[in-house]
Amino acid sequence: AAAAAAAVAPLARAQAHSAFFATAKFRIEVTVWRNGGNNTADGADAVRVEVNTVTDDFAYFKARVGCKLQYIPEDCTPWSELRPRVPWDVLTRAVDPNREPDPRCGYTTYTDRIRVYDRQGREVVNLHKVAAGTDLIVVPPGDLFVWPGWYVGHVVTLDDVVVDGTAVTLETLSLEPRVFRINHFVTDSEAAEVIGAAKPNMIDSMGFVDGGH
């Protein structure tokens, strides 16, 4: 009887751990956005997804959001073999929050080249430290991460990019075309050094008015 009880104890502990990690404490909602979208409030480029920050496999998460954002088809078999770029006319359709990957597909076969970034441009590699309400930008295979504009006047602080003790900030000046002002990109002394190096070689530029004069 003692031996049987000892054998059951680890299983009971494992079941208790699984039940604990499945609680609402670890289930959160995040918003995933298409890469390169202007990310305005119309929702055409985004979908909300519920995840478990402890138990959800990251490859499965990328498969789910890849389907919902129409980066990958529900039947992934041809896609995983050829890895084609998805046509832009497909990506511009509204996202479908109900789309899910076919469970028959091996998730790691077609999600390894999908990447996920946060609003500070940092790559996210798991869900463990993702907070509820987080915005995540999903980048399809073959694409580079594109800073989202969000809205005119939006400012994001790049904590990982520090110049002379001050973090660089990215300010949205326009959405179409997308224009940013990069603040604190160079220091005053660096700017003065560039100007000083260029000044000896500067000449008056030629200009023309009506009539060619």
Coordinates of all heavy atoms in Angstrom, one line a residue, residues 194-195 197-205:
V194 N 30.4 66.3 -37.1 CA 30.1 66.0 -38.5 C 30.1 67.4 -39.3 O 30.7 67.4 -40.4 CB 28.7 65.4 -38.6 CG1 28.2 65.3 -40.1 CG2 28.7 64.0 -38.0
I195 N 29.5 68.4 -38.7 CA 29.5 69.7 -39.4 C 31.0 70.2 -39.6 O 31.3 70.7 -40.7 CB 28.7 70.7 -38.6 CG1 27.2 70.3 -38.6 CG2 28.9 72.1 -39.1 CD1 26.4 71.1 -37.6
A197 N 33.7 68.5 -39.9 CA 34.4 67.7 -40.9 C 34.0 68.1 -42.3 O 34.7 68.0 -43.2 CB 34.2 66.2 -40.6
A198 N 32.7 68.4 -42.4 CA 32.1 68.7 -43.8 C 32.4 70.1 -44.2 O 32.5 70.4 -45.4 CB 30.6 68.4 -43.8
K199 N 32.5 71.1 -43.3 CA 32.5 72.5 -43.6 C 33.6 72.9 -44.6 O 33.4 73.7 -45.5 CB 32.6 73.3 -42.3 CG 31.9 74.6 -42.4 CD 31.8 75.2 -41.0 CE 30.8 76.4 -41.0 NZ 30.6 77.0 -39.7
P200 N 34.9 72.4 -44.4 CA 35.9 72.8 -45.4 C 35.6 72.4 -46.8 O 36.2 73.0 -47.8 CB 37.1 72.0 -44.9 CG 36.8 71.7 -43.4 CD 35.4 71.5 -43.4
N201 N 34.8 71.4 -47.0 CA 34.5 71.0 -48.4 C 33.1 71.5 -48.9 O 32.7 71.1 -50.0 CB 34.5 69.4 -48.4 CG 35.8 68.8 -48.0 OD1 36.8 69.3 -48.4 ND2 35.7 67.9 -47.1
M202 N 32.5 72.4 -48.2 CA 31.2 72.9 -48.6 C 31.3 74.0 -49.6 O 32.2 74.9 -49.5 CB 30.4 73.3 -47.4 CG 30.0 72.2 -46.5 SD 29.1 72.8 -45.0 CE 27.6 73.3 -45.7
I203 N 30.5 74.0 -50.6 CA 30.5 75.1 -51.6 C 29.0 75.5 -51.8 O 28.1 74.8 -51.5 CB 31.1 74.7 -53.0 CG1 30.3 73.5 -53.6 CG2 32.6 74.3 -52.8 CD1 30.7 73.1 -55.0
D204 N 28.9 76.7 -52.4 CA 27.5 77.2 -52.6 C 26.8 76.3 -53.7 O 27.5 76.0 -54.7 CB 27.6 78.7 -53.2 CG 28.0 79.6 -52.1 OD1 27.9 79.3 -50.9 OD2 28.5 80.7 -52.4
S205 N 25.6 76.0 -53.4 CA 24.9 75.1 -54.4 C 24.3 76.0 -55.5 O 24.1 77.2 -55.4 CB 23.7 74.4 -53.7 OG 22.8 75.3 -53.2

